Amino acid sequence: MPSLKDLKIRINSVKSTQKITSAMKMVAAAKLRRAQEGAEAARPYALRMENMVAAIGANIGDPEAAPKLLAGTGKDDVHLLVACTADRGLCGGFNGSIVRAVRNTARHLKIEGHTVKILCVGKKARDLLRRDFAADIVDTFEGIGKRGVKYDEAETVAAKIIEMFEAGEFDVCTVVFNRFQSAMTQIVTKQQIIPFQAPKDEEGAEKASGPSAVYLYEPEETEILADLLPRNLGVQMFQALLESSASEHGARMTAMDSATRNAGDMINGLTLTYNRTRQAFITKELIEIISGAEAL
């Protein structure tokens, strides 16, 4: 049985931990509100951008004249997986769910005979994936979203992806991130950004962008897409990082709330044990005093 001193030290230690988790919960809650507003505000713009690219791409008469970012290389031998995680832990299953999805996807692609490359956005992706896929990790971006996700940070990641694609280092690029739904729910999402895929609904069918109409473009569609596709890549990457940031803060707030409540339960249990042990020591001392007095 632990001594009273040991129990007292443990109670104080758990109380200190509870103060830390409570503070982290409040910080995450404050950051969550701004991150959630940013993610929800960017969704319509990202969707409209996708619909615009899909509408213009559908009007190209000669598929061979389409930009490579739209049509692809014609192969799917090499796949690039962009894993969007956090730089820190203590956020429940946020990082683990992304790493698990990337790991399963990479293994499935390798079984099918494809080559896999991984681009890590967030230190946790690199730390958790390098045990099994150290040779496949091509680069890591750290510090993104440290003070809120900025568009130039997303452009930096998008520029790296475009540079690798133009150098012929991969054929298909897929971003894996957590889409924010609520503070307790984040949905692991895999979005192919190269070659471009038209947005799809929940049943897998392409979303209708509105009533069909005939448009005349000036300049030509291929010239518009040559400028629009890199912009769309930056926008989709920005949206993924915003969703990931909001999901991270929501997961951390939920995890720290659970940790704070668990610490409270542990403190109550340790306090009860402390009081019982203290009472047992007092009873024992009283018995010894009474026995000694009777012996005299």
Side-chain angles (χ1 to χ4, degrees):
M1 178 181 293
S3 64
L4 290 175
K5 183 179 179 180
D6 293 336
L7 288 171
K8 194 68 175 178
I9 291 174
R10 191 172 181 188
I11 290 172
N12 291 334
S13 176
V14 176
K15 284 183 177 179
S16 298
T17 303
Q18 186 184 40
K19 291 179 182 178
I20 294 172
T21 57
S22 179
M24 291 182 67
K25 172 192 170 184
M26 290 187 290
V27 171
K31 291 183 177 180
L32 171 62
R33 183 174 181 180
R34 294 193 298 269
Q36 180 179 352
E37 290 174 353
E40 292 176 347
R43 285 174 186 171
Y45 184 83
L47 180 59
R48 289 296 181 90
M49 176 69 83
E50 282 188 314
N51 290 333
M52 184 186 299
V53 174
I56 298 175
N59 286 332
I60 295 180
D62 184 9
E64 296 183 357
K68 291 180 66 177
L69 287 174
L70 177 68
T73 61
K75 303 181 295 181
D76 65 342
D77 297 335
V78 184
H79 286 250
L80 176 67
L81 302 178
V82 183
C84 298
T85 61
D87 288 329
R88 300 182 299 156
L90 298 177
C91 48
F94 170 79
N95 293 314
S97 61
I98 293 296
V99 170
R100 193 179 308 112
V102 172
R103 185 183 290 118
N104 293 338
T105 302
R107 287 174 177 169
H108 180 71
L109 289 171
K110 287 188 174 185
I111 290 174
E112 293 181 346
H114 301 290
T115 301
V116 175
K117 296 183 179 181
I118 300 175
L119 180 64
C120 299
V121 180
K123 186 167 64 175
K124 282 298 179 180
R126 179 197 63 197
D127 294 344
L128 297 174
L129 287 171
R130 64 183 175 184
R131 175 181 298 177
D132 300 323
F133 302 98
D136 301 322
I137 297 175
V138 295
D139 201 355
T140 303
F141 290 90
E142 298 181 23
I144 292 181
K146 191 173 183 180
R147 296 188 177 182
V149 179
K150 307 296 182 184
Y151 183 71
D152 57 353
E153 295 175 329
E155 276 192 322
T156 302
V157 180
K160 175 65 176 180
I161 295 173
I162 294 174
E163 179 186 348
M164 293 178 62
F165 181 69
E166 292 178 346
E169 297 184 24
F170 66 88
D171 302 309
V172 180
C173 177
T174 303
V175 181
V176 185
F177 63 97
N178 274 309
R179 186 177 297 278
F180 179 82
Q181 185 171 12
S182 68
M184 298 183 64
T185 307
Q186 299 84 37
I187 303 173
V188 177
T189 304
K190 292 186 283 187
Q191 180 180 359
Q192 180 178 310
I193 56 177
I194 298 178
F196 172 79
Q197 275 192 340
K200 297 181 179 180
D201 57 21
E202 296 179 355
E203 297 178 355
E206 292 188 3
K207 291 183 179 180
S209 57
S212 59
V214 178
Y215 295 96
L216 296 176
Y217 294 96
E218 180 66 31
E220 295 294 330
E221 291 89 340
T222 53
E223 296 182 35
I224 297 175
L225 287 173
D227 181 69
L228 194 60
L229 283 167
R231 291 175 181 265
N232 175 67
L233 192 64
V235 169
Q236 300 307 324
M237 199 67 230
F238 183 50
Q239 177 64 29
L241 293 177
L242 286 172
E243 297 280 354
S244 181
S245 177
S247 298
E248 176 192 351
H249 295 314
R252 179 168 289 111
M253 185 187 74
T254 303
M256 292 301 101
D257 177 64
S258 178
T260 302
R261 286 187 281 105
N262 289 339
D265 295 339
M266 184 176 291
I267 290 170
N268 292 336
L270 289 171
T271 302
L272 182 62
T273 303
Y274 175 83
N275 291 334
R276 287 177 175 174
T277 305
R278 180 171 174 269
Q279 185 63 43
F281 277 121
I282 293 173
T283 303
K284 180 181 177 182
E285 290 176 355
L286 289 175
I287 293 174
E288 291 176 350
I289 294 172
I290 294 172
S291 300
E294 289 181 351
L296 294 175

